[in-house]
Amino acid sequence: MNKQQLFENIKRKKSFLCVGLDTDIKKIPEHLLKEEDPIFAFNKAIIDATADLCIAYKPNLAFYESMGVKGWIAFEKTVNYIKQNYPDQFIIADAKRGDIGTTMAAYAAAWAADGPLAADAVTASPYLGFGSLQPLLDTAAAHDRGVFVLAATSNPEGAEVQRAVRADGRTVAQSVVDAAAAVNATDPGLVGVVVGATLTEVPDVSALGGPVLVPGVGAQGGRPEALAGLGDARPGQLLPAVSREVLRAGPDAAAIRAAAETLRDAVSHLL
């Protein structure tokens, strides 16, 4: 699925919901631990119960990396399962990669080319300088994928960097959004940004020309009713992401659906 298909799917499903697959092996129900691949088994239960209610899935790579080879296998199986069974779903690999030169180019080849790990979009950190992301942006554009760049994150420690004011009067976070907007001016929708749902001070995203991924809705403290107009976002620009609120309802299908449906309806005012 590409970026244009994502926006068309939002309109068709009348949903903005992105479900985070932050699958922690320590929290998987005991009976699933007997499965050959408990992480994949849990993810499959979440996916099958929510696919008609959401428009995207966002696996958080840290939880898969922590399991070593078994985690990587579970991640790849999860991505392939979504692609094969729910091709209308947009997959965001929440990898938060950031580096320079050939190392960034290698990350780009892994996450935005045609390799087995490639998803429809990947998250990236611009805090080695926005220009350091160029290999990733070029690779994503060449393969019709997207990049979500961290702009304003919800962790308190982020403020000392992201809210720092530059000589031109803009915050660092705003300069990230503006740099992304400059890319989108020539390649519309290539770059989205990440803005935490729990923040009260956020950059202006009205001129971004791309989507805004908003993690932290629900159990992590972000209130759905507070999202309207976040950063002066345009209608249809925000993609609220929920993880714990849905995952902790699993693996019971009815409970998963109830949690996802409640959150989908809670953010429907953003349509």
Side-chain angles (χ1 to χ4, degrees):
M1 168 173 277
N2 60 30
K3 302 179 291 291
Q4 184 57 41
Q5 290 169 328
L6 168 65
F7 297 128
E8 291 171 358
N9 206 26
I10 289 171
K11 294 177 183 177
R12 181 177 64 83
K13 283 191 170 181
K14 294 182 170 55
S15 172
F16 289 109
L17 194 62
C18 171
V19 174
L21 297 173
D22 303 2
T23 308
D24 187 344
I25 191 70
K26 300 183 188 70
K27 297 180 181 178
I28 289 178
E30 187 173 348
H31 73 275
L32 284 181
L33 295 177
K34 300 174 184 177
E35 296 280 344
E36 180 182 352
D37 189 338
I39 297 174
F40 174 68
F42 185 80
N43 285 351
K44 182 178 180 297
I46 297 293
I47 294 162
D48 288 340
T50 59
D52 63 319
L53 302 173
C54 66
I55 48 84
Y57 291 102
K58 183 177 70 67
N60 185 327
L61 268 296
F63 292 95
Y64 301 87
E65 291 173 354
S66 70
M67 293 295 295
V69 173
K70 290 182 179 179
W72 285 113
I73 291 172
F75 169 76
E76 189 173 346
K77 286 168 66 176
T78 297
V79 169
N80 287 336
Y81 182 77
I82 296 170
K83 289 180 178 179
Q84 291 168 11
N85 294 276
Y86 304 103
D88 65 340
Q89 290 292 339
F90 195 75
I91 305 171
I92 303 168
D94 192 3
K96 300 181 181 70
R97 295 299 191 254
D99 218 301
I100 60 173
T102 55
T103 306
M104 189 71 253
Y107 279 139
W111 296 104
D114 290 322
L117 299 178
D120 298 307
V122 62
T123 59
S125 174
Y127 291 106
L128 277 76
F130 193 92
S132 68
L133 298 179
Q134 197 60 51
L136 178 60
L137 300 179
D138 291 343
T139 302
H143 293 83
D144 201 17
R145 305 193 191 279
V147 178
F148 283 91
V149 177
L150 303 180
T153 57
S154 57
N155 60 307
E157 303 86 353
E160 63 183 280
V161 173
Q162 297 159 10
R163 293 185 193 172
V165 178
R166 296 163 36 119
D168 60 10
R170 295 179 297 163
T171 64
V172 171
Q174 186 64 56
S175 72
V176 169
V177 173
D178 294 346
V183 175
N184 289 335
T186 55
D187 194 339
L190 173 64
V191 187
V193 297
V194 179
V195 175
T198 58
L199 297 177
T200 55
E201 296 180 35
V202 299
D204 186 332
V205 299
S206 60
L208 173 63
V212 181
L213 183 64
V214 190
V217 176
Q220 291 163 274
R223 295 182 297 110
E225 66 273 15
L227 297 181
L230 183 77
D232 289 329
R234 299 177 184 277
Q237 191 176 9
L238 301 181
L239 295 178
V242 298
S243 299
R244 296 179 200 168
E245 193 88 1
V246 173
L247 297 187
R248 69 184 182 185
D252 179 73
I256 295 167
R257 282 191 64 80
E261 200 162 19
T262 296
L263 286 160
R264 179 202 62 181
D265 294 345
V267 298
S268 63
H269 64 280
L270 299 174
L271 285 166

